[in-house]
Amino acid sequence: MINLTINDQNVSVPDGTTILDAAKSVGIKIPHLCYQNGLSPTSACRLCVVEVEGVEGLAASCSYPAKEGMKISTNTERVLAARRLVLELLLSDHPKDCLVCEKNGVCKLQRYAYEMGVEGSRFAGKGHHYPIDSSNPLIERDYNKCILCGRCATICEKEMGRGVIDYLYRGFETRIGTYFDKPLQDMNCAFCGQCVSVCPVGALTEKQSKGRGRVWEMEKTATICPYCGCGCTLDMNVRDGKIVKITSSNTPGINHGRMCVKGRFGYDFIHRDDRLKHPLIRKNGELAQSSWDEALGLIAERFSQIKDKYGADSMAGISSARCTNEENYLFQKFMRVVIGTNNVDHCARLCHASTVVGLATAFGSGAMTNAIDEIQDTKCILVTGSNTTECHPIIGIEIRKAVANGAKLIVVDPRQIELTDISHLHLQQKPGTDVAWMNAMMNVILSEGLHDQGFIKDRCEGFEEFKTTVEKYTPEYVEGICGIPAEKIREAARIYACAQTACIVYSMGITQHTTGVDNVLCTANLAMLTANVGKKSSGVLPLRGQNNVQGSCDMGALPNVYSGYQPVSDENVRLKFEQAWGVKLSASPGLTLTEMLHDNIKGLYVMGENPVVSDPDANHVKQALKDKEFLVVQDIFLTETAQLADVVLPAVSFAEKGGTFTNTERRVQLIQKAIEPIGGAMADWKIICELASRMGYDMRYESESEIMDEISILTPSYGGIRYNRLEKGGLQWPCLDINHPGTPFLHKDKFTRGKGKFSAVEYIPAAELPSSKYPYILTTGRVLAHYHTGSMTRRCVGLDWMCKQGFVEMNPIDASNLGVNDGDMVSVSTLRGRIELSARVVETIDTGVLFIPFHFAEASANVLTNPAIDPKAKIPELKVCSARVEKAVTVQVV
């Protein structure tokens, strides 16, 4: 600590603190335009100057380090005169259109001019008249208002790692812009809007909210983003009962004010005209509007009839990772208590069922081991099966930070993803060969003595059998399987094993295989082999794809466990829930999602899911749903699945209800209601309670917090979760009681299961391999602008503009052989179906491999995908199947 005085006030701060931060620590305000918390200071605006005794010139407080014994003055006449001069110079070439400027009232230039009494400028600037760039629907750029603070360029380069904008020209002609003045959409812009969020004036604004209200007319409500599993905090800005815009939140959160394009601009689906506003009942083959009383009455009657006729296990329910913890808890409770079956599951079966099974086997817990904030301090990151910057952009930022801090990044992916640009190594494997290359890495670590023998001896079991299994997986042997050069495997193994701390980041490229559990077990083996688990900035980090996949699993929306992963087959556990719920419960594990669509299920209740688009072999799925005697779908839009339903119930969006989401790092966070339900829609938890009551079970709760109180009583890992404890950034489970601080990283000193378990895993090829008729390997995934089945993002103007239709990526060599040019329409077919879509000819994918995003129902990738499942996790192999590509035939009508 060092001691100094500021305006005759004694101040004590850590050595290395800037003068600006030292002043802030004692409540002394220093004006600034270019400084932005979290970014490196640029000292560009000179508005933050102060006097330092003994220093001749004025010091820029944002970058000048405080020193022991310094005497600083922040408001002398010399300082104020310098600041006024800066403001006059800025105003000399600044538009005076404050009355119509979007930043009126929150513009920092306007604020400081007011505070310092600067009414105009003595200087006559040349005056610029730059054209306003409104060529995209997301961000408007008016560089006439730019004050050259550089915040936007700094955050784009240093924080987002893109460098889309920078200073152009020199002298009085200096301005911010893109290279060669290209539109943002022609650059590498991700439209995250970070530049907009840090702009202190009106040069950069959100185009969608323009003219829809002043900041002081809007009421802000902090909540959690409804898209990926990052769990970012954001502010909903509401005027006249409508969400006008989304802005970065000052509330504590994992994103520290940062957002991606979906979080910032993906909100207009909330007020779309095609929102479901009333229940629908199928009459004479058509869905017709009805009342809640009629719809709920019919459901209760038909569910009861099916249960009485065929038994409780003829019914099944699909819960939702897009709904809150409270709603998922009540949904599984409804199925078990009211219907009497364990046939309940949700979309985690399609994304991270392998993780739950695999990590639970190895560690005793199927969750992400470490916190997101720890990534930036790790020394090595192995990313595999995760296009992180597109699918989990905020975690992508943390990976970029780690690399900037000196970490070695290894990317293992069939495609050249954005992270390969900053990686130390990119290993481009054939899809479906992950067990082979991970075993090869571990073969190298063992043969070169790089494993942690002490950790293995003290904290693990099953090592000898595992060691024997990996002996044959030499890099040379594996090169023939996966296509990765042997020396690259050796280099990757040495980097990972020799790092002081290392973490493995993966997503559905690892899990969505018939060997998904084996893949996950290999990640656990690799972490235990090098003692990279149970400590900070290490571990195995599965990235959940949706906002509440983790929470849905935690709440027991699974066929074999109650909340907190308590087995339905355990008599003591079952007795606890029977006493709490007042009914006898089934001891038999239920059907998984992939089984309930095709088995002898007569009645199906679907909440917030769209299996027609999300599940493999979509044509078969569609027919299976049509064959149900009674199908109920509860959603916010008439999705492809809802169109097949007998009854459709209108639910509300995340903005119209409260509750909690649990993000990928196990952090339980509050969402808050910002607007009233649209039309006659109702929150999912209220619908479930109403339906239960009509079927004879009294399920009454006054609020979402009352449901969480019940969850915490029955769920040990959530034992200390209470709403009042979640108001300052949430808590990471396990949180065992109301005094427990939460758990940032798992397995410290001891694994959840006691000792970590090594598994001997052999490489097994994918269920479907290329043949002469289907010579390509098809893999699927997501794109930055869209989310899951697209029912939300494709109804957002800006996101839809970024990516309007499906496409297939293919290598230029393959395209040339087929006579296909970039943008041509092609036909892609597999054993299960055929779709037509445009070709994107790219060098980022290997020959013989195709990639199709699955968001587009009209060109649904899942018409093609293989329904073969992992025998342990029952997850389908969405990442590998054999396919055929042909140039689409254009029929001319004469």
Side-chain angles (χ1 to χ4, degrees):
M1 302 294 287
I2 57 171
N3 299 294
L4 60 153
T5 61
I6 304 177
N7 297 347
D8 298 324
Q9 184 174 342
N10 293 327
V11 181
S12 181
V13 292
D15 193 14
T17 303
T18 63
I19 292 174
L20 178 62
D21 285 335
K24 286 167 64 178
S25 72
V26 291
I28 296 174
K29 295 181 179 179
I30 298 176
H32 55 273
L33 289 169
C34 67
Y35 170 80
Q36 175 68 27
N37 187 35
L39 296 178
S40 301
T42 59
S43 307
C45 72
R46 316 304 292 182
L47 196 65
C48 68
V49 292
V50 296
E51 275 194 77
V52 180
E53 189 175 280
V55 176
E56 184 177 346
L58 295 176
S61 63
C62 67
S63 58
Y64 205 100
K67 297 294 182 183
E68 178 69 35
M70 263 187 178
K71 293 185 178 179
I72 300 162
S73 299
T74 70
N75 55 5
T76 65
E77 188 51 46
R78 180 188 176 198
V79 167
L80 295 176
R83 291 175 182 164
R84 291 190 187 104
L85 177 62
V86 168
L87 291 173
E88 282 194 72
L89 289 168
L90 290 172
L91 290 170
S92 71
D93 185 34
H94 195 83
K96 309 302 188 292
D97 60 349
C98 296
L99 291 176
V100 293
C101 180
E102 285 295 308
K103 283 290 183 77
N104 188 12
V106 290
C107 172
K108 296 194 82 171
L109 180 62
Q110 182 188 55
R111 170 189 164 190
Y112 292 138
Y114 172 78
E115 289 179 355
M116 296 183 206
V118 179
E119 297 180 8
S121 176
R122 293 168 288 171
F123 310 104
K126 176 182 176 183
H128 289 111
H129 302 284
Y130 299 120
I132 296 173
D133 179 10
S134 57
S135 61
N136 69 79
L138 299 172
I139 297 172
E140 184 170 281
R141 297 186 291 163
D142 183 357
Y143 287 132
N144 298 294
K145 298 177 181 177
C146 178
I147 60 172
L148 298 176
C149 67
R151 284 184 179 190
C152 56
T154 302
I155 201 165
C156 188
E157 171 66 28
K158 302 298 183 183
E159 189 92 345
M160 308 309 296
R162 292 186 175 269
V164 172
I165 49 177
D166 207 341
Y167 288 98
L168 305 179
Y169 309 111
R170 291 292 180 268
F172 196 71
E173 300 303 319
T174 303
R175 63 183 175 86
I176 299 288
T178 61
Y179 299 108
F180 304 109
D181 277 329
K182 290 184 178 181
L184 291 175
Q185 56 267 32
D186 292 342
M187 304 297 292
N188 190 32
C189 183
F191 289 96
C192 63
Q194 290 302 104
C195 56
V196 178
S197 72
V198 299
C199 182
V201 292
L204 299 171
T205 54
E206 299 101 336
K207 192 173 177 182
Q208 290 173 271
S209 60
K210 188 175 181 180
R212 298 181 64 189
R214 299 295 191 185
V215 171
W216 60 83
E217 297 175 311
M218 300 179 196
E219 184 178 343
K220 286 191 176 185
T221 302
T223 193
I224 304 301
C225 179
Y227 290 113
C228 80
C230 289
C232 297
T233 306
L234 50 81
D235 282 341
M236 296 181 285
N237 294 251
V238 179
R239 184 188 181 205
D240 297 332
K242 288 192 174 183
I243 308 292
V244 172
K245 63 179 177 178
I246 300 289
T247 53
S248 302
S249 179
N250 293 323
T251 306
I254 67 100
N255 52 319
H256 306 291
R258 303 163 302 191
M259 286 190 285
C260 74
V261 64
K262 292 191 290 292
R264 190 179 302 278
F265 296 112
Y267 60 87
D268 36 330
F269 75 89
I270 296 168
H271 298 290
R272 280 277 301 218
D273 290 340
D274 60 344
R275 275 285 303 273
L276 288 171
K277 300 179 179 69
H278 305 281
L280 304 174
I281 293 178
R282 189 169 298 279
K283 297 177 181 179
N284 300 318
E286 300 292 330
L287 287 169
Q289 182 175 320
S290 75
S291 67
W292 275 104
D293 185 63
E294 182 185 9
L296 291 173
L298 176 61
I299 296 170
E301 178 185 350
R302 293 291 287 120
F303 277 3
S304 297
Q305 288 173 350
I306 292 171
K307 179 181 174 181
D308 292 342
K309 184 176 180 180
Y310 301 105
D313 287 335
S314 67
M315 296 281 296
I318 300 176
S319 198
S320 177
R322 289 186 285 176
C323 293
T324 65
N325 286 323
E326 294 75 10
E327 289 165 340
N328 277 282
Y329 173 81
L330 290 190
F331 189 91
Q332 61 89 30
K333 180 178 178 180
F334 172 84
M335 293 305 300
R336 289 179 163 121
V337 171
V338 181
I339 302 299
T341 182
N342 286 316
N343 291 341
V344 58
D345 206 354
H346 71 291
C347 69
R349 186 65 50 193
L350 305 175
C351 58
H352 275 287
S354 309
T355 293
V356 175
V357 174
L359 293 188
T361 299
F363 301 155
S365 169
M368 181 166 161
T369 61
N370 290 63
I372 294 169
D373 276 349
E374 296 175 19
I375 295 173
Q376 62 180 299
D377 296 320
T378 193
K379 303 304 178 187
C380 174
I381 305 171
L382 172 60
V383 176
T384 181
S386 167
N387 190 356
T388 319
T389 55
E390 290 208 30
C391 301
H392 299 87
I394 303 306
I395 295 175
I397 293 173
E398 295 301 311
I399 293 173
R400 287 186 181 279
K401 275 188 181 179
V403 173
N405 291 339
K408 294 284 181 69
L409 173 62
I410 303 165
V411 175
V412 187
D413 199 283
R415 304 161 70 210
Q416 292 177 33
I417 59 174
E418 196 172 284
L419 285 179
T420 59
D421 294 341
I422 59 168
S423 66
H424 186 78
L425 278 176
H426 175 212
L427 312 184
Q428 199 163 5
Q429 88 280 34
K430 293 176 184 175
T433 62
D434 300 296
V435 166
W437 66 259
M438 281 190 273
N439 274 351
M441 278 185 64
M442 292 183 281
N443 175 287
V444 173
I445 292 168
L446 285 166
S447 63
E448 297 187 6
L450 302 177
H451 54 300
D452 192 312
Q453 297 181 49
F455 182 89
I456 294 166
K457 179 182 176 182
D458 296 339
R459 297 198 54 188
C460 303
E461 62 187 16
F463 176 70
E464 291 303 324
E465 185 183 355
F466 152 78
K467 181 181 177 183
T468 300
T469 299
V470 300
E471 284 177 357
K472 74 176 184 184
Y473 290 91
T474 63
E476 286 74 18
Y477 169 62
V478 167
E479 181 177 348
I481 297 173
C482 65
I484 302 172
E487 280 311 305
K488 277 197 170 186
I489 293 175
R490 285 194 172 88
E491 187 179 356
R494 291 165 186 156
I495 291 171
Y496 179 84
C498 295
Q500 183 181 353
T501 55
C503 65
I504 301 170
V505 176
Y506 75 81
S507 194
M508 285 166 277
I510 285 293
T511 60
Q512 290 178 331
H513 296 270
T514 48
T515 56
V517 172
D518 289 347
N519 291 344
V520 173
L521 289 171
C522 283
T523 67
N525 287 344
L526 187 53
M528 290 187 291
L529 189 64
T530 54
N532 274 305
V533 65
K535 60 185 181 183
K536 195 174 180 181
S537 298
S538 66
V540 180
L541 316 183
L543 306 184
R544 264 58 182 189
Q546 295 189 53
N547 56 307
N548 203 32
V549 169
Q550 183 63 60
S552 304
C553 294
D554 297 344
M555 293 301 102
L558 296 167
N560 60 330
V561 292
Y562 301 117
S563 59
Y565 308 96
Q566 301 171 85
V568 299
S569 57
D570 186 308
E571 188 176 348
N572 292 328
V573 168
R574 200 166 59 253
L575 179 61
K576 177 177 77 170
F577 280 89
E578 286 176 346
Q579 291 174 342
W581 293 343
V583 297
K584 189 75 175 173
L585 297 171
S586 171
S588 303
L591 298 174
T592 65
L593 185 151
T594 47
E595 294 167 323
M596 63 178 62
L597 288 177
H598 305 291
D599 275 57
N600 194 28
I601 296 297
K602 305 298 183 182
L604 184 63
Y605 182 10
V606 180
M607 177 178 75
E609 287 296 338
N610 190 9
V612 169
V613 179
S614 64
D615 290 22
D617 195 4
N619 288 331
H620 193 184
V621 170
K622 193 171 183 178
Q623 188 58 52
L625 292 172
K626 287 180 178 178
D627 290 342
K628 303 301 177 193
E629 284 194 15
F630 193 66
L631 173 63
V632 176
V633 176
Q634 192 167 300
D635 214 314
I636 62 175
F637 294 107
L638 192 65
T639 64
E640 291 75 14
T641 301
Q643 290 169 26
L644 305 176
D646 295 290
V647 179
V648 180
L649 301 177
V652 302
S653 72
F654 78 109
E656 301 153 63
K657 62 185 176 185
T660 58
F661 294 151
T662 303
N663 78 342
T664 193
E665 64 169 2
R666 298 169 283 105
R667 184 177 298 276
V668 186
Q669 302 182 99
L670 275 178
I671 69 164
Q672 299 190 77
K673 181 179 176 181
I675 59 174
E676 291 302 315
I678 292 173
M682 193 186 302
D684 292 279
W685 70 270
K686 291 184 177 180
I687 298 173
I688 296 166
C689 290
E690 286 284 342
L691 186 55
S693 297
R694 286 173 181 262
M695 293 186 69
Y697 183 83
D698 190 20
M699 192 184 284
R700 296 185 188 277
Y701 300 90
E702 295 299 319
S703 65
E704 298 93 341
S705 63
E706 189 179 339
I707 304 170
M708 179 54 73
D709 290 343
E710 181 177 319
I711 293 168
S712 63
I713 291 170
L714 292 172
T715 314
S717 57
Y718 276 63
I721 303 296
R722 300 291 189 280
Y723 273 31
N724 64 329
R725 297 192 69 205
L726 301 178
E727 293 171 357
K728 296 182 179 180
L731 290 165
Q732 289 173 273
W733 67 258
C735 181
L736 304 179
D737 56 58
I738 57 172
N739 297 312
H740 195 286
T743 310
F745 65 89
L746 301 176
H747 315 303
K748 182 183 179 182
D749 302 323
K750 182 182 179 182
F751 285 97
T752 304
R753 71 181 298 277
K755 285 198 169 187
K757 178 178 172 57
F758 280 99
S759 295
V761 180
E762 294 280 7
Y763 164 67
I764 301 171
E768 190 173 285
L769 298 173
S771 63
S772 58
K773 186 175 181 181
Y774 299 101
Y776 295 93
I777 294 176
L778 170 64
T779 189
T780 65
R782 301 183 178 191
V783 295
L784 174 65
H786 290 300
Y787 164 81
H788 202 45
T789 60
S791 61
M792 290 156 59
T793 53
R794 296 193 70 193
R795 287 176 166 87
C796 297
V797 172
L799 301 182
D800 186 57
W801 167 82
M802 287 180 70
C803 187
K804 277 187 171 293
Q805 61 184 13
F807 58 87
V808 55
E809 286 185 356
M810 57 194 310
N811 185 276
I813 295 174
D814 293 329
S816 177
N817 291 338
L818 293 167
V820 171
N821 296 312
D822 189 66
D824 284 352
M825 291 299 292
V826 296
S827 166
V828 182
S829 57
T830 68
L831 289 167
R832 289 154 294 280
R834 173 182 170 277
I835 61 173
E836 286 194 4
L837 65 179
S838 64
R840 284 192 184 179
V841 181
V842 295
E843 294 182 351
T844 54
I845 197 164
D846 208 353
T847 55
V849 180
L850 309 171
F851 169 81
I852 299 177
F854 66 87
H855 313 289
F856 305 93
E858 69 278 13
S860 176
N862 284 323
V863 166
L864 309 174
T865 48
N866 191 355
I869 59 174
D870 181 294
K872 300 170 188 171
K874 306 295 177 68
I875 190 170
E877 189 149 57
L878 296 166
K879 285 295 181 278
V880 184
C881 71
S882 59
R884 180 180 181 86
V885 186
E886 298 169 297
K887 195 168 182 177
V889 177
T890 302
V891 179
Q892 292 186 345
V893 180
V894 179

